[in-house]
């Protein structure tokens, strides 16, 4: 009861936990360390979630987008004198162009530089020429699976975080990805 009696800007902790992301972006606007990840969540279409929503209630797609937001928030845009205020690029490898365009739009609206590719060879070419701080890859691609791509990156010496997306999840794929 004491906790609920405490309020900030007219809201109790209970009120804040019931708040949707869309509203929370404005509520926490003066606190960039909170507002930035909330804005990213809104940008990837999660504005309808509440701050107090429990993780077991999230769909697989919602959980994937939260993982993406976690990485994007970590890679907050910083000034780079070589690229006039942009960040190192985020390479995404998706064989579906329409999904890639949505992802690119979301990344760029959030201040990130996105480099889209539709195949592993194209991604490897970009990686050899660009400074990259994150790779987002589909699990199923023509020619190689996401796991084979991950192994290839390790053999080639690329030490870059990779988020693997899939619409065909299985426990076996998840365990193999972690290994």
């Amino acid at each position: 009861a004491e906790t609920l009696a405490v309020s900030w800007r007219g809201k109790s902790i209970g009120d804040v936990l019931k708040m949707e992301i869309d509203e929370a972006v404005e509520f926490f606007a003066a606190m960039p360390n909170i507002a930035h990840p909330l804005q990213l969540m809104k940008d990837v279409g999660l504005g309808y979630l509440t701050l107090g929503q429990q993780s077991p209630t999230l769909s697989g797609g919602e959980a994937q987008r939260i993982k993406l937001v976690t990485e994007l928030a970590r890679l907050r845009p910083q000034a780079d004198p070589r690229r006039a205020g942009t960040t190192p690029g985020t390479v995404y490898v998706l064989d579906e162009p329409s999904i890639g365009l949505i992802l690119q739009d979301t990344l760029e609206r959030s201040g990130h530089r996105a480099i889209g590719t539709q195949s592993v060879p194209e991604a490897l070419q970009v990686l050899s020429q660009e400074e990259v701080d994150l790779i987002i890859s589909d699990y199923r691609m023509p020619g190689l699976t996401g796991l084979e791509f991950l192994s290839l990156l390790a053999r080639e010496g690329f030490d870059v975080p990779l988020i693997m997306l899939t619409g065909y999840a299985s426990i076996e794929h998840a365990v193999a990805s972690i290994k």
Side-chain angles (χ1 to χ4, degrees):
E2 285 181 41
T3 304
L4 293 177
V6 176
S7 67
W8 183 66
R9 296 184 56 205
K11 303 268 187 197
S12 72
I13 187 66
D15 296 331
V16 171
L17 291 173
K18 292 177 190 170
M19 195 179 289
E20 288 188 355
I21 301 295
D22 286 337
E23 180 184 355
V25 169
E26 293 175 32
F27 185 75
F28 290 105
M31 304 178 79
N33 289 339
I34 297 173
H36 177 69
L38 291 173
Q39 182 63 53
L40 291 171
M41 289 180 74
K42 183 176 178 177
D43 289 346
V44 298
L46 296 175
Y48 59 89
L49 295 178
T50 62
L51 292 179
Q53 185 154 349
Q54 297 180 5
S55 60
T57 66
L58 298 172
S59 72
E62 289 166 340
Q64 278 186 340
R65 287 182 279 163
I66 287 175
K67 180 160 176 58
L68 175 62
V69 165
T70 301
E71 286 297 321
L72 293 177
R74 183 183 66 78
L75 304 171
R76 198 153 182 185
Q78 300 171 3
D80 179 342
R82 295 171 294 162
R83 279 199 225 91
T86 63
T87 62
T90 298
V91 171
Y92 60 88
V93 187
L94 301 168
D95 61 346
E96 279 293 323
S98 60
I99 295 171
L101 289 173
I102 293 167
L103 182 58
Q104 181 169 359
D105 181 56
T106 299
L107 290 166
E108 289 176 350
R109 278 189 291 127
S110 301
H112 297 273
R113 190 170 64 97
I115 306 164
T117 64
Q118 292 182 5
S119 68
V120 170
E122 189 180 348
L124 290 172
Q125 182 178 5
V126 168
L127 290 170
S128 70
Q129 299 170 353
E130 300 279 344
E131 182 182 355
V132 173
D133 55 9
L134 177 66
I135 299 169
I136 302 168
S137 176
D138 198 341
Y139 181 83
R140 287 188 172 181
M141 295 179 291
L144 287 177
T145 68
L147 290 178
E148 292 165 334
F149 180 41
L150 185 59
S151 294
L152 181 60
L153 290 171
R155 282 195 312 272
E156 296 291 324
F158 292 104
D159 187 22
V160 179
L162 181 131
I163 296 175
M164 198 168 309
L165 305 174
T166 184
Y168 306 96
S170 72
I171 292 183
E172 293 81 22
H173 291 153
V175 170
S177 297
I178 292 170
K179 289 181 179 178

